[in-house]
Amino acid sequence: MAAACLRLVWLAPLLLGLVDGGRAEPPRDALREELVITPLPSGDVAATFQFRTRWDSDLQREEGLSVLLKADRLFHTSYHSQAVHIRPVCRNARCTSISWELRQTLSVVYDAFVTGQGKKDWSLFRMFSRTLTEPCPLASESRVYVDVTSYNQDNETLEVHPTPTTTYQDVTLGTQKTYAVYDLLDTAVINNSRNLNLQFKWKSPPENEAPPVPFLHAQRYVSGYGLQNGELNTLLYNTHPYRAFPVLVLDTVPWYLRLYVHTLTITSKGKENKPSYVHYQPAQDRLQPHLLEMLIQLPANSATKVSIQFERALLKWTEYTPDPNHGFYVSPSVLSALVPSMVAAKPVDWEESPLFKSLYPVSDSSSYFVRLYTEPLLVNLPTPDFSMPYNVICLTCTVVAVCYGSFYNLLTRTFHIEEPSTGGLAKWLANLIRRARGVPPL
Amino acid sequence: MGLLSDPVRRRALARLVLRLNAPLCALSYAAGVAWFLALAFPPLTQRTYMSENAMGSTMVEEQFAGGERARGWARDFAAHRRKAGALPAAWLERAMRSVGLEVYTQSFSRKLPFPDEAHERYMVSGTNVYGILRAPRAASTESLVLTVPCGSDATNSQAVGLLLALAAHFRGQIYWAKDIIFLVTEQDLLGTEAWLEAYHDVNVTGMQSSPLQGRAGAIQAAVALELSTDVVTSLDVAVEGLNGQLPNLDLLNLFQTFCQKGGLLCTLQGKLQPQDWTSVDGPLQGLQTLLLMVLQQASGRPHGPHGLFLRYRVEALTIRGINSFRQYKYDLVAVGKALEGVFRKLNHLLERLHQSFFFYLLPALSRFVSIGLYMPAVGFLLLVLGLKALELWMQLHEAGVGPEEAGGGPESSPPLQPAQSVGLASLVAPLLISQAMGLALYILPVLGQHVATQHFPVAEAEAVVLTLLAIYAAGLALPHSTQRVVSARAPDRGWMALKLVAIIYLALQLACIALTNFSLGFLLAVTMVPAAALTKPYGPRPLYATLLVLTSPAATLLGSLFLWRELQEAPLSLAEGWQLFLVAGGPGSPAFRTAPPYGHRARPGNTAHESPRAAPQTPRARNLRGPRHPRHRKMPAGPALLPVSTPPGSAARRSPAPSPALATPALGAAAGADGSRGAPETAKMAVAAASLRGAVLGPRGAGLPGAGARGLLCGARLGQLPLRTSQAVPLSSKAGPSRGRKVMLSALGMLAAGGAGLAVALHSAVSASDLELHPPSYPWSHRGLLSSLDHTSIRRGFQVYKQVCSSCHSMDYVAYRHLVGVCYTEDEAKALAEEVRGLGGGGPRDWGAHCAGRQGRDGALRGRWRFRTAPMRMERCSCGQGSSPTISPNHTPTLRPPEQPITEHCPLTSATSLELGTVVRTTSSPC
């Protein structure tokens, strides 16, 4: 696949200089590419491309999954994220030599509503305006995985075209998932009309079903009004039907929101929830932000509200940003949790399992690790009007103060004629001289 | 010198003030009123202009075409609404979901203080439905709101249809940077208030509502829409919010520009704007609009659902579709296009709307009067009180000088006693009592209502009236408490001191009100100032009594009602006016369901009225008073009656003639100083109460001076004021009196001239402020005669260009040899040139050759600067777009044409540029 290949070229000068063993032995595993398509609860569709390779010779092809990467479609998405991972891997069991693995990931979320004209249906052509034509000839593995979990449960609602030949069962994020697998190297998949356009249709529109929610999700907002006080609220939802689990909440709040730690309240189901661990590092003005870390037990099937009040500080006038009326951002809370699984996960064999397994965090048999970031907040601080009239007002006030002072003096002060001082050496001297000159003395 | 400390001059000055006081007062009052009436005329009104840069032009191509869909939805909504008898929340939810919004509902309920006349219900409940359109690639930190309030009947269904059609159109666009919330509220303003409180997670009105499930960050602006017909002839814009709060003028300007662009007819207060401002007719018409706005603003009642947003610092306005008998009509598409334009422009906003005015009056949609120009009107009125206070003070203090100067009038024939005889202590009691009465009027009816209905067989409304009556009856005891003020030895001194304090207090309070709600302050000042200035304990008592009654706020309210309807060209008959007055002032009337169900009467607690109350205590007047004249006694307290309440429900907003109920002057309630908590009666009553703590300015951060200022005022010593102290500090040893006068006169002249010059300069500075961009001035190191260029910073600058700027801007016309001797040696420059050549040189993958179409130069130093890195070139290739303009010094920036058309010629696919972190840039560029 050309994109991946060229990236190798780009990184080659950087890496090859560092690696000793990499050049000596031939690579064992040249290129694996993979596309995972997952319909999301919100109705959007997530597509994740992964390309993994070991160092190899010059590869320049524009085939395989990379034909789908068309820029103007990729940027009309709701979300995208990309990553490059480079790591050493052992070449043999004893790890006497290593080779380097490059893994590139591109995740995009398509707004299925807009591309599907109001329906949840999707197809490769609708999303990417391309279809798959052939596998990358250099790839040792080139597969498309489609999440068809609901398809298997209920054959009536969903239709996947072409019908998958093989499926793959896996446990991701604690739930059992079924993926339809399309192996592009399998000639039967593409051979029919030299293109593969995956389609996903809902037979009956799933209107009223509540979208499934993840076990742990969160929401954050600022409450209150006015420019003096406010409250930071974080809502933590545990939708697990019967298991409680702890969550580590990490908040960093800028110093110009002065937190009142005594107002920290955590309530779950109307009762106070005492955190088992609280670490608070107070802010220092202009030096360090507040750091608040708590370990909170979330009861099963509950919403927990963490709230803390703050006061908005007055900044020095040079500390305002050029767009102070936009507000100041407060970074998201970070939630880390071991969420109990519904289904026990098997230990993973990284070489054998699909590449997307690495996207999900390692989980043991009973729980899996999740790190969530809540939304960032925009908080307005009391902001002076940095416009010309403001300056004029300041100036006018100064002038008025000055004028008032003089007027007051004029109106209230009385002036006396000071008696001429009688003595003084200078006067005496001057009079001496005057007398000498014959001029009347002072 | 010492104009005031010199006894001779002071006496002369005092004589002047005393003699000219009455004409000065009259002149000042007339000037205030005249100034106000002149506000609608061109030198004082200015043309509105857009201050916010982000909204400067209307370069938006409106594409909304969903008129048919909007009408279909409107029909469906009306049908479902009739069938359900309430807001069809489930249908609305489905409709919103079908256009792809994230839909949530919120249910709320509120116990009304009084049973609704029509439905006999105490509990009002409803459901709000709102859908959020999430902006792609944004983190939901900011949002805009489009809201449609739905009342009890099937009005506004076209607005709901248009809202849905706009949502469907907006959903398909990718340019949104802010989330958009589409909100449909039930029970009109009650629903809006419930939603706003839940969104901001506060509870100021005792509303019970379910918490919101979905939020979209800080709301930047909101537009409320009211449409009840498929076609409109004009759109009416309402700006007045709660307690007279106004949205930023830029929001109005924005809407107006889009109306102009779409050729829509817009009105303000139901009045078209005059075309001709040069003749008298135009400004006169503007004056009518201005008066309507003043009456509306003074009522303190929101002129539309937008008014509730303003408290949360969300700039908002209401747009109403009017369908009159005009020939030209616009369909929903035209309205939708105007709204689309407004929302797209608001979407561009980087900051909250803050550039333009927050305090203004509007004589027409495209004309405004800024705060600096309308404040003198109320200033002149308050000057009357100031002059009067000065006169009283002088009479109090100059009286001891000699019998021939004791007071200007022949009335005060007995010489007054020295100042010490009127102690502060004697004034404390009446002040405290009147304050306490204001507080009682603010709090007790509410408390009394609960208690009375539990223990006595009375209705809620009756309980309030009875409590009020009880308080007024208790107030009758007030004169007894002022006995001590009027000592037997110096009767005049007593009432003078009391009136002095009262007048100053009144002036302060009026000034505070005028600052936050000019209209209310002005209306109160116009009526209360003459009464406060004129009343004395002697003289023609019936005349004073009549004057007091006529200028009391209750009479003001009645007069305002007639003026209001007159301006609206729907004059009232006397009986109708009285009915409306009862509605506005009393706790509900059977005639109008629109009555404020709770006649909350907050007393201004205005100590100005203590002067008439104290006045009868003079020996001459004492026999006039007594239980035989209850009316007399009540009227001094009577002016205090200020109906403030705004109806909790909705109906009042739709009333044929919204009565401009004067909001409380907030004085009595200020005594409570607990506005944010108090008055849980109605949704908007608490809101009105909160005004006392600065909710009027609320989000702007200013607050009214609270109890502290009052305490200070009451505690101010009357005796020795600083003006009495003479400071015998000699300034000059040689100055005689004549010279001193010269100095003073010249100083005065200089100050006056300087002040005038400064004012002119400042005026021009203010006018020029937001239109000019001044070039920045930097302390360049090479500015001086003997200094030269700082070579290290040149080197730094080159580094910055190389690493940052060069990714977008080429400098193809500067060669490496230019660097030699400036910041690099020749060898270094050569090395640099080689380095760049090496990056792009050789082989089929020479990006430079491919994309820029230029070969690398052989002679290194002749070569031009070329630092564009490969991925950027690739981006250009894949996009087939030109590059950013070059910034070479000897070349004007041009956008070069695309050199290599499309991907085929590029050795890299777009995926490479994806990988290397240039993605965001690509999206933001037009490719």
Side-chain angles (χ1 to χ4, degrees), chain A residues 6-7 75 77 80 82 84 111 224-225 326 380 407 411-413 415, chain B residues 1-5 137 171 200 311 350 352 748 908 914-915 919:
Chain A
L6 269 169
R7 259 166 279 140
F75 296 136
T77 51
H80 77 262
Q82 48 197 337
V84 177
D111 190 347
Y225 60 91
H326 177 65
N380 275 88
F407 262 113
L411 291 174
T412 58
R413 199 169 275 194
F415 299 96
Chain B
M1 285 283 306
L3 211 54
L4 295 184
S5 49
R137 294 154 182 274
R171 181 65 173 87
H200 294 93
R311 174 216 293 236
L350 292 177
R352 280 172 187 274
L748 274 177
L908 304 184
L914 286 183
E915 193 58 39
V919 191

mmCIF file of all heavy atoms in Angstrom, chain A residues 6-7 75 77 80 82 84 111 224-225 326 380 407 411-413 415, chain B residues 1-5 137 171 200 311 350 352 748 908 914-915 919:
data_model
loop_
_atom_site.group_PDB
_atom_site.id
_atom_site.type_symbol
_atom_site.label_atom_id
_atom_site.label_comp_id
_atom_site.label_asym_id
_atom_site.label_seq_id
_atom_site.Cartn_x
_atom_site.Cartn_y
_atom_site.Cartn_z
ATOM 1 N N LEU A 6 5.254 4.888 1.527
ATOM 2 C CA LEU A 6 5.959 6.147 1.465
ATOM 3 C C LEU A 6 6.268 6.669 2.841
ATOM 4 O O LEU A 6 7.237 7.360 3.037
ATOM 5 C CB LEU A 6 5.130 7.145 0.688
ATOM 6 C CG LEU A 6 5.553 7.015 -0.754
ATOM 7 C CD1 LEU A 6 4.625 7.765 -1.638
ATOM 8 C CD2 LEU A 6 6.964 7.538 -0.909
ATOM 9 N N ARG A 7 5.422 6.327 3.732
ATOM 10 C CA ARG A 7 5.736 6.745 5.083
ATOM 11 C C ARG A 7 7.000 6.061 5.555
ATOM 12 O O ARG A 7 7.789 6.637 6.258
ATOM 13 C CB ARG A 7 4.580 6.420 6.018
ATOM 14 C CG ARG A 7 3.745 7.643 6.296
ATOM 15 C CD ARG A 7 2.462 7.292 6.906
ATOM 16 N NE ARG A 7 1.543 6.860 5.882
ATOM 17 C CZ ARG A 7 0.714 5.864 6.039
ATOM 18 N NH1 ARG A 7 0.723 5.188 7.157
ATOM 19 N NH2 ARG A 7 -0.088 5.536 5.084
ATOM 20 N N PHE A 75 -11.995 14.381 5.245
ATOM 21 C CA PHE A 75 -12.093 15.593 6.066
ATOM 22 C C PHE A 75 -13.523 16.039 6.265
ATOM 23 O O PHE A 75 -13.788 16.998 6.951
ATOM 24 C CB PHE A 75 -11.257 16.704 5.439
ATOM 25 C CG PHE A 75 -9.814 16.350 5.424
ATOM 26 C CD1 PHE A 75 -9.036 16.566 4.313
ATOM 27 C CD2 PHE A 75 -9.246 15.757 6.528
ATOM 28 C CE1 PHE A 75 -7.718 16.219 4.308
ATOM 29 C CE2 PHE A 75 -7.920 15.405 6.533
ATOM 30 C CZ PHE A 75 -7.147 15.637 5.424
ATOM 31 N N THR A 77 -15.636 14.529 7.977
ATOM 32 C CA THR A 77 -16.048 13.580 9.001
ATOM 33 C C THR A 77 -16.267 14.303 10.312
ATOM 34 O O THR A 77 -15.906 15.465 10.470
ATOM 35 C CB THR A 77 -14.961 12.525 9.205
ATOM 36 O OG1 THR A 77 -13.720 13.202 9.402
ATOM 37 C CG2 THR A 77 -14.861 11.635 8.002
ATOM 38 N N HIS A 80 -11.537 12.607 13.526
ATOM 39 C CA HIS A 80 -10.492 11.705 13.054
ATOM 40 C C HIS A 80 -9.317 11.762 13.997
ATOM 41 O O HIS A 80 -9.108 12.754 14.686
ATOM 42 C CB HIS A 80 -10.059 12.032 11.626
ATOM 43 C CG HIS A 80 -9.161 13.218 11.541
ATOM 44 N ND1 HIS A 80 -9.631 14.454 11.220
ATOM 45 C CD2 HIS A 80 -7.832 13.343 11.738
ATOM 46 C CE1 HIS A 80 -8.641 15.314 11.226
ATOM 47 N NE2 HIS A 80 -7.539 14.672 11.542
ATOM 48 N N GLN A 82 -5.149 10.101 14.293
ATOM 49 C CA GLN A 82 -4.145 9.295 13.624
ATOM 50 C C GLN A 82 -2.960 9.098 14.553
ATOM 51 O O GLN A 82 -2.714 9.905 15.439
ATOM 52 C CB GLN A 82 -3.698 9.962 12.338
ATOM 53 C CG GLN A 82 -3.366 11.403 12.520
ATOM 54 C CD GLN A 82 -3.343 12.112 11.198
ATOM 55 O OE1 GLN A 82 -3.155 11.486 10.168
ATOM 56 N NE2 GLN A 82 -3.517 13.401 11.224
ATOM 57 N N VAL A 84 1.085 7.062 14.934
ATOM 58 C CA VAL A 84 2.205 6.277 14.420
ATOM 59 C C VAL A 84 2.885 5.646 15.625
ATOM 60 O O VAL A 84 3.181 6.342 16.591
ATOM 61 C CB VAL A 84 3.215 7.178 13.672
ATOM 62 C CG1 VAL A 84 4.396 6.353 13.224
ATOM 63 C CG2 VAL A 84 2.565 7.858 12.513
ATOM 64 N N ASP A 111 -20.246 10.715 9.647
ATOM 65 C CA ASP A 111 -21.599 11.088 10.018
ATOM 66 C C ASP A 111 -22.543 10.346 9.084
ATOM 67 O O ASP A 111 -22.805 10.788 7.969
ATOM 68 C CB ASP A 111 -21.747 12.595 9.875
ATOM 69 C CG ASP A 111 -23.031 13.091 10.475
ATOM 70 O OD1 ASP A 111 -23.891 12.240 10.771
ATOM 71 O OD2 ASP A 111 -23.178 14.293 10.636
ATOM 72 N N GLY A 224 -24.169 27.921 37.253
ATOM 73 C CA GLY A 224 -24.218 29.244 37.851
ATOM 74 C C GLY A 224 -24.169 30.312 36.794
ATOM 75 O O GLY A 224 -23.958 30.035 35.621
ATOM 76 N N TYR A 225 -24.394 31.521 37.209
ATOM 77 C CA TYR A 225 -24.305 32.631 36.274
ATOM 78 C C TYR A 225 -23.644 33.804 36.967
ATOM 79 O O TYR A 225 -23.471 33.814 38.172
ATOM 80 C CB TYR A 225 -25.682 33.015 35.729
ATOM 81 C CG TYR A 225 -26.688 33.439 36.766
ATOM 82 C CD1 TYR A 225 -26.799 34.767 37.114
ATOM 83 C CD2 TYR A 225 -27.493 32.512 37.406
ATOM 84 C CE1 TYR A 225 -27.703 35.172 38.064
ATOM 85 C CE2 TYR A 225 -28.395 32.906 38.354
ATOM 86 C CZ TYR A 225 -28.502 34.238 38.691
ATOM 87 O OH TYR A 225 -29.392 34.629 39.637
ATOM 88 N N HIS A 326 -13.594 35.579 24.659
ATOM 89 C CA HIS A 326 -13.910 34.218 24.238
ATOM 90 C C HIS A 326 -14.075 33.326 25.457
ATOM 91 O O HIS A 326 -14.839 32.382 25.449
ATOM 92 C CB HIS A 326 -12.790 33.714 23.352
ATOM 93 C CG HIS A 326 -12.950 32.302 22.916
ATOM 94 N ND1 HIS A 326 -13.982 31.894 22.098
ATOM 95 C CD2 HIS A 326 -12.235 31.194 23.179
ATOM 96 C CE1 HIS A 326 -13.876 30.602 21.879
ATOM 97 N NE2 HIS A 326 -12.837 30.150 22.531
ATOM 98 N N ASN A 380 -15.854 32.110 31.367
ATOM 99 C CA ASN A 380 -15.584 33.540 31.199
ATOM 100 C C ASN A 380 -15.097 34.122 32.509
ATOM 101 O O ASN A 380 -15.681 33.884 33.558
ATOM 102 C CB ASN A 380 -16.846 34.264 30.764
ATOM 103 C CG ASN A 380 -17.019 34.186 29.280
ATOM 104 O OD1 ASN A 380 -17.603 33.256 28.765
ATOM 105 N ND2 ASN A 380 -16.475 35.142 28.577
ATOM 106 N N PHE A 407 -9.824 72.121 42.448
ATOM 107 C CA PHE A 407 -11.016 72.906 42.775
ATOM 108 C C PHE A 407 -11.243 72.946 44.280
ATOM 109 O O PHE A 407 -11.551 73.986 44.850
ATOM 110 C CB PHE A 407 -12.252 72.309 42.096
ATOM 111 C CG PHE A 407 -12.595 73.019 40.832
ATOM 112 C CD1 PHE A 407 -12.471 72.382 39.611
ATOM 113 C CD2 PHE A 407 -13.027 74.337 40.852
ATOM 114 C CE1 PHE A 407 -12.770 73.032 38.451
ATOM 115 C CE2 PHE A 407 -13.329 74.996 39.687
ATOM 116 C CZ PHE A 407 -13.203 74.350 38.477
ATOM 117 N N LEU A 411 -11.412 76.178 46.603
ATOM 118 C CA LEU A 411 -12.615 76.566 47.307
ATOM 119 C C LEU A 411 -12.406 76.630 48.813
ATOM 120 O O LEU A 411 -13.059 77.403 49.494
ATOM 121 C CB LEU A 411 -13.743 75.584 46.985
ATOM 122 C CG LEU A 411 -14.248 75.666 45.557
ATOM 123 C CD1 LEU A 411 -15.241 74.574 45.297
ATOM 124 C CD2 LEU A 411 -14.883 77.011 45.296
ATOM 125 N N THR A 412 -11.577 75.811 49.340
ATOM 126 C CA THR A 412 -11.496 75.714 50.789
ATOM 127 C C THR A 412 -10.247 76.350 51.380
ATOM 128 O O THR A 412 -10.202 76.603 52.576
ATOM 129 C CB THR A 412 -11.507 74.256 51.222
ATOM 130 O OG1 THR A 412 -10.420 73.608 50.591
ATOM 131 C CG2 THR A 412 -12.820 73.596 50.835
ATOM 132 N N ARG A 413 -9.247 76.571 50.606
ATOM 133 C CA ARG A 413 -7.993 77.013 51.194
ATOM 134 C C ARG A 413 -8.002 78.520 51.377
ATOM 135 O O ARG A 413 -8.513 79.241 50.532
ATOM 136 C CB ARG A 413 -6.863 76.601 50.256
ATOM 137 C CG ARG A 413 -5.543 76.570 50.888
ATOM 138 C CD ARG A 413 -4.575 75.908 49.978
ATOM 139 N NE ARG A 413 -4.619 74.450 50.156
ATOM 140 C CZ ARG A 413 -3.688 73.663 49.680
ATOM 141 N NH1 ARG A 413 -2.695 74.152 48.988
ATOM 142 N NH2 ARG A 413 -3.759 72.372 49.873
ATOM 143 N N PHE A 415 -5.609 81.907 52.014
ATOM 144 C CA PHE A 415 -4.221 82.350 51.845
ATOM 145 C C PHE A 415 -3.929 83.482 52.826
ATOM 146 O O PHE A 415 -4.752 84.387 53.000
ATOM 147 C CB PHE A 415 -3.998 82.843 50.418
ATOM 148 C CG PHE A 415 -4.232 81.776 49.401
ATOM 149 C CD1 PHE A 415 -5.430 81.658 48.752
ATOM 150 C CD2 PHE A 415 -3.226 80.871 49.127
ATOM 151 C CE1 PHE A 415 -5.648 80.676 47.836
ATOM 152 C CE2 PHE A 415 -3.445 79.875 48.210
ATOM 153 C CZ PHE A 415 -4.643 79.779 47.560
ATOM 154 N N MET B 1 -8.452 83.679 49.787
ATOM 155 C CA MET B 1 -9.212 82.710 48.982
ATOM 156 C C MET B 1 -10.145 81.903 49.865
ATOM 157 O O MET B 1 -10.619 82.392 50.854
ATOM 158 C CB MET B 1 -8.233 81.762 48.283
ATOM 159 C CG MET B 1 -7.514 82.368 47.128
ATOM 160 S SD MET B 1 -8.546 82.479 45.690
ATOM 161 C CE MET B 1 -9.090 80.833 45.502
ATOM 162 N N GLY B 2 -10.298 80.650 49.476
ATOM 163 C CA GLY B 2 -11.187 79.828 50.277
ATOM 164 C C GLY B 2 -12.618 80.262 50.069
ATOM 165 O O GLY B 2 -13.247 80.865 50.929
ATOM 166 N N LEU B 3 -13.093 80.005 48.875
ATOM 167 C CA LEU B 3 -14.402 80.508 48.478
ATOM 168 C C LEU B 3 -15.470 80.086 49.488
ATOM 169 O O LEU B 3 -16.376 80.841 49.786
ATOM 170 C CB LEU B 3 -14.735 79.923 47.105
ATOM 171 C CG LEU B 3 -15.589 80.807 46.217
ATOM 172 C CD1 LEU B 3 -14.966 82.167 46.077
ATOM 173 C CD2 LEU B 3 -15.759 80.155 44.877
ATOM 174 N N LEU B 4 -15.318 78.887 49.993
ATOM 175 C CA LEU B 4 -16.336 78.393 50.906
ATOM 176 C C LEU B 4 -15.955 78.579 52.361
ATOM 177 O O LEU B 4 -16.809 78.556 53.238
ATOM 178 C CB LEU B 4 -16.600 76.909 50.641
ATOM 179 C CG LEU B 4 -17.184 76.615 49.285
ATOM 180 C CD1 LEU B 4 -17.479 75.153 49.172
ATOM 181 C CD2 LEU B 4 -18.444 77.411 49.068
ATOM 182 N N SER B 5 -14.671 78.714 52.620
ATOM 183 C CA SER B 5 -14.284 78.810 54.015
ATOM 184 C C SER B 5 -14.231 80.263 54.470
ATOM 185 O O SER B 5 -14.194 80.532 55.661
ATOM 186 C CB SER B 5 -12.942 78.114 54.238
ATOM 187 O OG SER B 5 -12.031 78.548 53.267
ATOM 188 N N ARG B 137 -16.077 17.917 14.623
ATOM 189 C CA ARG B 137 -14.705 18.245 15.003
ATOM 190 C C ARG B 137 -14.623 19.370 16.010
ATOM 191 O O ARG B 137 -13.699 20.164 16.007
ATOM 192 C CB ARG B 137 -13.884 18.650 13.778
ATOM 193 C CG ARG B 137 -13.680 17.557 12.807
ATOM 194 C CD ARG B 137 -13.449 18.105 11.432
ATOM 195 N NE ARG B 137 -13.300 17.003 10.532
ATOM 196 C CZ ARG B 137 -12.163 16.391 10.298
ATOM 197 N NH1 ARG B 137 -11.082 16.812 10.889
ATOM 198 N NH2 ARG B 137 -12.106 15.373 9.495
ATOM 199 N N ARG B 171 -28.377 20.620 9.637
ATOM 200 C CA ARG B 171 -27.767 19.330 9.938
ATOM 201 C C ARG B 171 -26.907 18.846 8.778
ATOM 202 O O ARG B 171 -25.921 18.162 8.957
ATOM 203 C CB ARG B 171 -28.874 18.310 10.232
ATOM 204 C CG ARG B 171 -28.413 16.925 10.580
ATOM 205 C CD ARG B 171 -27.644 16.941 11.896
ATOM 206 N NE ARG B 171 -27.344 15.599 12.334
ATOM 207 C CZ ARG B 171 -26.257 14.939 11.941
ATOM 208 N NH1 ARG B 171 -25.406 15.512 11.143
ATOM 209 N NH2 ARG B 171 -26.043 13.717 12.387
ATOM 210 N N HIS B 200 -28.176 25.848 33.448
ATOM 211 C CA HIS B 200 -27.108 26.432 34.258
ATOM 212 C C HIS B 200 -27.089 25.860 35.663
ATOM 213 O O HIS B 200 -26.354 26.360 36.511
ATOM 214 C CB HIS B 200 -27.261 27.948 34.296
ATOM 215 C CG HIS B 200 -27.050 28.576 32.955
ATOM 216 N ND1 HIS B 200 -28.070 28.844 32.085
ATOM 217 C CD2 HIS B 200 -25.918 28.956 32.309
ATOM 218 C CE1 HIS B 200 -27.583 29.376 30.981
ATOM 219 N NE2 HIS B 200 -26.293 29.452 31.077
ATOM 220 N N ARG B 311 -30.083 37.314 31.539
ATOM 221 C CA ARG B 311 -29.489 37.185 32.859
ATOM 222 C C ARG B 311 -28.262 36.259 32.842
ATOM 223 O O ARG B 311 -27.320 36.445 33.596
ATOM 224 C CB ARG B 311 -30.502 36.607 33.827
ATOM 225 C CG ARG B 311 -29.914 36.312 35.174
ATOM 226 C CD ARG B 311 -30.521 35.078 35.749
ATOM 227 N NE ARG B 311 -31.911 35.295 36.049
ATOM 228 C CZ ARG B 311 -32.423 35.099 37.253
ATOM 229 N NH1 ARG B 311 -31.650 34.754 38.225
ATOM 230 N NH2 ARG B 311 -33.688 35.230 37.451
ATOM 231 N N LEU B 350 -15.770 34.771 17.299
ATOM 232 C CA LEU B 350 -14.675 34.215 18.080
ATOM 233 C C LEU B 350 -14.887 34.482 19.559
ATOM 234 O O LEU B 350 -14.578 33.663 20.395
ATOM 235 C CB LEU B 350 -13.359 34.843 17.638
ATOM 236 C CG LEU B 350 -12.938 34.458 16.244
ATOM 237 C CD1 LEU B 350 -11.668 35.175 15.875
ATOM 238 C CD2 LEU B 350 -12.725 32.971 16.147
ATOM 239 N N ARG B 352 -17.506 36.368 22.667
ATOM 240 C CA ARG B 352 -18.878 36.773 22.916
ATOM 241 C C ARG B 352 -19.090 38.158 22.342
ATOM 242 O O ARG B 352 -18.156 38.938 22.215
ATOM 243 C CB ARG B 352 -19.136 36.842 24.417
ATOM 244 C CG ARG B 352 -19.390 35.523 25.034
ATOM 245 C CD ARG B 352 -19.440 35.689 26.533
ATOM 246 N NE ARG B 352 -19.513 34.390 27.163
ATOM 247 C CZ ARG B 352 -20.646 33.761 27.368
ATOM 248 N NH1 ARG B 352 -21.770 34.303 27.015
ATOM 249 N NH2 ARG B 352 -20.641 32.583 27.939
ATOM 250 N N LEU B 748 -9.276 78.767 37.101
ATOM 251 C CA LEU B 748 -10.602 78.306 36.670
ATOM 252 C C LEU B 748 -10.718 78.319 35.163
ATOM 253 O O LEU B 748 -11.200 77.382 34.541
ATOM 254 C CB LEU B 748 -11.680 79.203 37.276
ATOM 255 C CG LEU B 748 -12.157 78.839 38.671
ATOM 256 C CD1 LEU B 748 -13.167 79.862 39.133
ATOM 257 C CD2 LEU B 748 -12.756 77.454 38.663
ATOM 258 N N LEU B 908 3.428 10.941 -4.063
ATOM 259 C CA LEU B 908 2.829 10.552 -2.787
ATOM 260 C C LEU B 908 1.324 10.610 -2.895
ATOM 261 O O LEU B 908 0.779 11.443 -3.582
ATOM 262 C CB LEU B 908 3.243 11.524 -1.694
ATOM 263 C CG LEU B 908 4.727 11.711 -1.504
ATOM 264 C CD1 LEU B 908 4.941 12.627 -0.317
ATOM 265 C CD2 LEU B 908 5.383 10.389 -1.244
ATOM 266 N N LEU B 914 -1.678 12.846 5.422
ATOM 267 C CA LEU B 914 -2.459 12.521 6.603
ATOM 268 C C LEU B 914 -1.555 12.191 7.750
ATOM 269 O O LEU B 914 -1.761 12.609 8.872
ATOM 270 C CB LEU B 914 -3.302 11.266 6.354
ATOM 271 C CG LEU B 914 -4.492 11.418 5.470
ATOM 272 C CD1 LEU B 914 -5.187 10.098 5.448
ATOM 273 C CD2 LEU B 914 -5.350 12.479 6.062
ATOM 274 N N GLU B 915 -0.564 11.439 7.384
ATOM 275 C CA GLU B 915 0.226 10.862 8.447
ATOM 276 C C GLU B 915 1.086 11.914 9.136
ATOM 277 O O GLU B 915 1.423 11.785 10.287
ATOM 278 C CB GLU B 915 1.123 9.791 7.836
ATOM 279 C CG GLU B 915 1.764 8.896 8.819
ATOM 280 C CD GLU B 915 0.721 8.216 9.660
ATOM 281 O OE1 GLU B 915 -0.337 7.826 9.131
ATOM 282 O OE2 GLU B 915 0.965 8.104 10.846
ATOM 283 N N VAL B 919 -2.888 17.577 8.529
ATOM 284 C CA VAL B 919 -4.252 17.362 8.115
ATOM 285 C C VAL B 919 -5.134 18.553 8.404
ATOM 286 O O VAL B 919 -5.895 18.990 7.578
ATOM 287 C CB VAL B 919 -4.803 16.148 8.850
ATOM 288 C CG1 VAL B 919 -6.105 15.761 8.255
ATOM 289 C CG2 VAL B 919 -3.814 15.043 8.774
#
